[in-house]
Amino acid sequence: MSVSESTYFDVVIVGGGHNGLVASCYLAKAGLSVAILEKNDSLGGATVSQKVFPEYEARLSRYSYLVSLLPDQIINDLGLEFKTIERDVSSFTPEKIDDKDLGLLINRGLTGKTSEDFKALTGNDAELEAWKSFYADVQKLADAIAPTMLQKLPTRSALKEKVGHKIWDEIIENPLEQVLEERFNSDLVRGIVLTDGLIGTFSDGKNLAANICFLYHLIGNGTGDWKVPVGGMGALVAELVESAKKLGVTFFLDSEVNSISSSSSNSNGGENFITTASGQSYESKYVLANFAPQKLAKVLNTQPPKSLEGSQVKVNMLLTKLPRLKSGADPKLAFAGTFHFDERYSDFQRAYSQAAAGKIPGVIPAEMYCHTLSDTSILGADLVTKGFQTLTLFGMHTPANLFENDNSGTKAIILERLLNQLNQYLIDPIETCLAKNSDGSLCIEIKSPLDLEEEIGLPRGNIFHKDLSMPFREDGSEPSWGVETDLPNLFLCGAGAIRGGGVSGIPGHNAAAAVLEARGL
Ligand SMILES: Cc1cc2nc3c(=O)[nH]c(=O)nc-3n(C[C@H](O)[C@H](O)[C@H](O)COP(=O)(O)OP(=O)(O)OC[C@H]3O[C@@H](n4cnc5c(N)ncnc54)[C@H](O)[C@@H]3O)c2cc1C
């Protein structure tokens, strides 16, 4: 194709993240011609597996790592051979009380060790009972909301009526801290619950942003279970790419879109002109934006939406063995679910106020998880035999602006702080468990919000592209798929749509549905 020649497709999708791929499959299946223009030389965006440490055959989920929000319906509709594994251990949290090393293991059944640990850490059974009752109520939200995620947005009042319980007010209307403080007494337990409200969201418990983030962490597929992707996150993208190719989707890699303009009277019946940085041009009836709304605004030359900045660091590690814990907990249990450390309610409050004042938190709340305890298929056979493991860590309340003046220096400070905090709970310091490269360096990397912007285009490192939105529309507003923009033939199909955010395919599905509806299909 010559540079000046413009090529027509029914739909051009800007960005080849998993949501763009999902949208492309639905649209191609319905008989439309579809092209994906991807800035990078590979597909997947934040949903990829990569050989992070080139000397080792270990394909880590470099950015996103667990799956909850991806509806089974999408997997079935698209015939994907993508499998996930449920985890028996939900979380483990080490804690020191009176100089004694203890830990809170929360398993799915909330029995045995879980009830013993609750008692040992909180003094009685009340906190476990509060936990059971709270999450049983949250389940009512999941039951009502999950079935609506691939439909047009319900109205606020219709959804509220469907939930029909005070949990609506507790999670949707009032600040999250209110329900946490009313229902729980323990600083540790309140902190574990609050975590789901703060992952990827720079907030405290007073801001409704935390409520929305909490909601999305608890409603996936109607269970809120976070499952391990077999083969890592890249396995999902590999399946989607194969499916899209079979359906005839055309891919253009190294194609950074830098302008989109609309006209009602150009050739081929197209209404959008899309051009790339390298000078290629395309025409289409519809454009789907898989990249972030802030990036779309730049390309359209409009005002970008306001959004919180990304506020987490992601640390990827390859280990020769798992560290032993001072509490005596079995590392194979402790690291199988989410391993929280220094995520007490008070830790979050302190860290938030320090970070909001422009300082690196003195204690950085963090959590980790080990993929290889559930699925060794991401490792070469040799590494499996030798017992290698992977760990992924999220450090919270480390917003983009902290890295502005010195990205690598700030990352070094934060990494050292995180490892020191973690080592307080370990017999074997984590550094002694990390694999080494041939030059003696340790197999560990840290990604700041600025790195996420640079590498995969997340504005200010916001892992959800922009602030999440409640999964409903206000009463009296126009019916909507949650993907519409000011331009009639341009829809969001990425995390920045309403009900986007996370590895879900939901905005991809819903943008495709909006196009098909507009076509009368
Ligand atoms: C470190 C990290 C950990 C996370 N952990 C989890 C997790 O465990 N579970 C979970 O559910 N979610 C997680 N998330 C969030 C989740 O990964 C994202 O919300 C989701 O992957 C977004 O998918 P998407 O397809 O909408 O967009 P993206 O994956 O962001 O894809 C957008 C694509 O657009 C491309 N692009 C950008 N600009 C242009 C342009 N101008 N022209 C052409 N192409 C362009 C990008 O290169 C990219 O490929 C995590 C995110 C991060 C960063």
Side-chain angles (χ1 to χ4, degrees):
M1 191 191 348
S2 79
V3 168
S4 58
E5 188 183 335
S6 107
T7 313
Y8 176 81
F9 293 91
D10 293 326
V11 186
V12 164
I13 300 178
V14 183
H18 83 286
N19 274 313
L21 290 163
V22 165
S24 77
C25 290
Y26 276 104
L27 292 165
K29 238 177 128 185
L32 275 62
S33 61
V34 184
I36 290 185
L37 308 182
E38 166 56 47
K39 164 171 87 82
N40 289 339
D41 61 4
S42 59
L43 296 160
T47 315
V48 288
S49 298
Q50 291 176 349
K51 255 178 89 172
V52 173
F53 309 107
E55 295 178 30
Y56 290 97
E57 195 50 52
R59 295 183 60 76
L60 276 69
S61 299
R62 194 167 211 162
Y63 306 107
S64 56
Y65 47 101
L66 287 170
V67 180
S68 171
L69 289 155
L70 177 65
D72 294 341
Q73 186 190 320
I74 292 182
I75 296 185
N76 296 334
D77 284 352
L78 302 181
L80 305 178
E81 290 292 320
F82 173 66
K83 301 269 179 284
T84 53
I85 300 173
E86 284 182 5
R87 301 178 299 172
D88 283 336
V89 176
S90 170
S91 70
F92 177 80
T93 309
E95 177 66 315
K96 264 189 201 311
I97 294 187
D98 300 333
D99 264 351
K100 265 177 61 190
D101 283 289
L102 303 172
L104 174 57
L105 181 90
I106 301 186
N107 55 32
R108 286 163 65 82
L110 299 175
T111 51
K113 184 90 178 81
T114 299
S115 55
E116 286 166 27
D117 284 356
F118 261 102
K119 204 175 223 161
L121 278 157
T122 64
N124 54 45
D125 293 326
E127 211 67 354
L128 176 57
E129 289 312 311
W131 180 283
K132 286 179 183 167
S133 143
F134 176 65
Y135 283 104
D137 290 347
V138 169
Q139 182 61 43
K140 295 179 177 48
L141 286 171
D143 290 342
I145 298 172
T148 68
M149 297 296 267
L150 299 179
Q151 301 169 355
K152 282 192 163 178
L153 286 166
T155 60
R156 178 188 280 266
S157 59
L159 205 53
K160 180 175 180 175
E161 196 183 325
K162 206 168 158 202
V163 173
H165 188 271
K166 68 169 182 172
I167 194 71
W168 176 272
D169 288 337
E170 290 177 317
I171 302 297
I172 307 292
E173 310 284 357
N174 305 327
L176 196 55
E177 70 169 16
Q178 197 171 314
V179 66
L180 294 185
E181 292 179 11
E182 277 169 17
R183 291 210 187 204
F184 299 99
N185 289 312
S186 150
D187 192 32
L188 185 77
V189 175
R190 282 179 181 170
I192 296 171
V193 179
L194 180 59
T195 312
D196 281 323
L198 302 183
I199 297 175
T201 300
F202 188 49
S203 175
D204 56 13
K206 297 183 197 320
N207 186 330
L208 282 188
N211 298 51
I212 306 175
C213 183
F214 181 83
L215 189 66
Y216 279 87
H217 279 92
L218 272 300
I219 59 173
N221 257 314
T223 65
D225 285 345
W226 285 86
K227 298 184 189 168
V228 176
V230 176
M233 278 301 183
L236 172 62
V237 164
E239 273 293 310
L240 285 167
V241 171
E242 197 183 318
S243 173
K245 279 187 178 157
K246 277 191 198 145
L247 290 162
V249 174
T250 309
F251 296 96
F252 298 94
L253 301 181
D254 293 314
S255 297
E256 179 171 5
V257 169
N258 61 8
S259 130
I260 301 174
S261 58
S262 293
S263 144
S264 52
S265 61
N266 54 15
S267 59
N268 297 319
E271 288 186 3
N272 294 291
F273 276 115
I274 304 105
T275 52
T276 66
S278 57
Q280 302 281 11
S281 63
Y282 304 85
E283 279 181 63
S284 69
K285 175 76 180 161
Y286 300 97
V287 174
L288 299 189
N290 181 202
F291 61 162
Q294 296 91 317
K295 306 271 173 189
L296 173 65
K298 205 165 167 208
V299 164
L300 291 171
N301 210 8
T302 56
Q303 197 60 30
K306 277 216 167 90
S307 187
L308 297 167
E309 38 180 44
S311 61
Q312 68 297 307
V313 289
K314 167 102 188 306
V315 180
N316 293 310
M317 296 176 248
L318 181 65
L319 290 81
T320 56
K321 61 174 185 183
L322 287 174
R324 288 169 299 158
L325 289 144
K326 288 184 183 166
S327 70
D330 179 354
K332 288 193 170 148
L333 289 179
F335 293 108
T338 302
F339 183 101
H340 301 260
F341 64 95
D342 299 337
E343 291 194 329
R344 299 166 201 89
Y345 195 57
S346 53
D347 291 328
F348 277 124
Q349 285 169 323
R350 207 174 312 111
Y352 179 74
S353 55
Q354 290 169 343
K359 296 197 183 81
I360 301 173
V363 173
I364 303 169
E367 55 192 66
M368 294 198 303
Y369 131 85
C370 173
H371 182 101
T372 40
L373 282 173
S374 302
D375 169 38
T376 55
S377 72
I378 64 165
L379 297 178
D382 179 43
L383 298 189
V384 176
T385 311
K386 289 179 176 156
F388 275 52
Q389 305 282 354
T390 61
L391 279 178
T392 184
L393 181 153
F394 242 52
M396 319 261 280
H397 288 344
T398 53
N401 67 15
L402 297 181
F403 300 83
E404 208 80 75
N405 291 334
D406 179 6
N407 189 30
S408 53
T410 308
K411 285 197 295 182
I413 294 169
I414 286 180
L415 187 58
E416 189 184 0
R417 200 163 289 179
L418 282 167
L419 299 188
N420 287 340
Q421 285 174 230
L422 173 61
N423 283 339
Q424 289 180 70
Y425 304 107
L426 305 180
I427 294 173
D428 309 309
I430 190 74
E431 293 86 343
T432 64
C433 302
L434 289 167
K436 283 187 179 156
N437 297 304
S438 48
D439 64 2
S441 60
L442 299 174
C443 290
I444 184 165
E445 68 161 13
I446 175 167
K447 299 281 181 199
S448 71
L450 298 188
D451 296 335
L452 298 179
E453 171 142 36
E454 168 76 23
E455 291 167 21
I456 48 173
L458 303 177
R460 302 290 289 170
N462 187 325
I463 68 168
F464 306 127
H465 287 186
K466 75 180 225 327
D467 300 350
L468 296 166
S469 320
M470 287 289 185
F472 51 77
R473 65 184 170 91
E474 295 304 332
D475 297 347
S477 62
E478 289 291 311
S480 155
W481 284 97
V483 298
E484 295 78 1
T485 68
D486 289 342
L487 296 171
N489 292 341
L490 196 158
F491 300 98
L492 300 176
C493 76
I498 297 176
R499 301 182 289 193
V503 178
S504 74
I506 291 170
H509 169 281
N510 291 348
V515 169
L516 296 178
E517 186 181 84
R519 300 271 293 196
L521 292 172

